[in-house]
Amino acid sequence: MSSSAIRPPLILGSSSPYRRELLARLRIPFDVAVPDIDETPLAGEAPEATALRLSRRKAEAIAARHPGALVIGSDQVCTLDGAQIGKPGSHEKALAQLQQMRGRTVTFHSALCLLDSRTGEAQLADVQTRATFRDLSDAELDAYLRLETPYDCAGSAKAEGLGIALLARVESDDPTALIGLPLIALTGMLRAAGYPFFGA
């Protein structure tokens, strides 16, 4: 029997093109489904708790529609001094975020959930990345935002693109976590779930 024949369906529960591109690096078949959940943080909820809860809720929402599949849910929360920094949504808010973060070290919580809808078993991880931003001028920050328009990214910087020029240092156990899908953690979870990468 070929490895593809014994692979359960794999579904990425995300609307993010960045996560889709990362998962495609693994050269394994997968589908994409968009979860419809409320992503509002709960009152008094710690940033890492928000990220873990939302990653699981996304996976559960997709698994309910796809029995028999392995479902990946992921969420990222950016924090500065313990406070959450969300997706800016506009140029003005993005500029204010970058001004607040310049010269500072920000923590990104990249949470991951792999839910096996065959058994109901969920594996969870919070991969943290510390990113130190360069102390750039308002003009440089404004120019960056107009070039890349990262208004859908927590922290207003696309590290997979020109946003890497905003950073002076990145510290993480998983180089893909900052982009939004920690592949080292994910491949470990898939192996634990019995998913074959290199043949049956």
Side-chain angles (χ1 to χ4, degrees), residues 79-80 98 101-108 129-136 157 163-172 178:
T79 64
L80 178 63
L98 292 178
M101 294 186 298
R102 64 182 162 197
R104 305 284 307 281
T105 297
V106 176
T107 300
F108 289 84
T129 302
R130 289 169 51 83
T132 301
F133 281 73
R134 299 182 192 276
D135 189 3
L136 301 178
I164 200 70
L166 302 182
L167 303 178
R169 182 180 178 87
V170 174
E171 302 168 80
S172 179
L178 184 58

Side-chain angles (χ1 to χ4, degrees), residues 15-18 39 76 78 85-99 101 108 138-160 162-163 166:
S15 60
S16 167
Y18 317 117
E39 298 190 31
Q76 187 176 72
C78 173
I85 299 174
K87 298 175 183 178
S90 71
H91 182 88
E92 293 73 23
K93 290 180 180 178
L95 181 58
Q97 282 188 358
L98 292 178
Q99 288 170 332
M101 294 186 298
F108 289 84
D138 287 351
E140 288 174 299
L141 297 178
D142 182 77
Y144 162 71
L145 291 173
R146 295 187 186 283
L147 285 168
E148 197 152 59
T149 61
Y151 308 136
D152 60 343
C153 296
S156 303
K158 291 183 181 179
E160 69 277 17
L162 180 58
L166 302 182

Side-chain angles (χ1 to χ4, degrees), residues 28-81:
I28 55 178
F30 69 94
D31 293 314
V32 176
V34 178
D36 182 16
I37 67 165
D38 181 357
E39 298 190 31
T40 305
L42 301 178
E45 188 174 41
E48 58 270 29
T50 298
L52 285 166
R53 178 178 59 84
L54 293 179
S55 68
R56 182 164 189 154
R57 285 285 295 114
K58 290 175 182 179
E60 289 173 342
I62 300 303
R65 307 199 307 259
H66 298 275
L70 290 173
V71 182
I72 302 163
S74 189
D75 191 77
Q76 187 176 72
V77 174
C78 173
T79 64
L80 178 63
D81 297 331

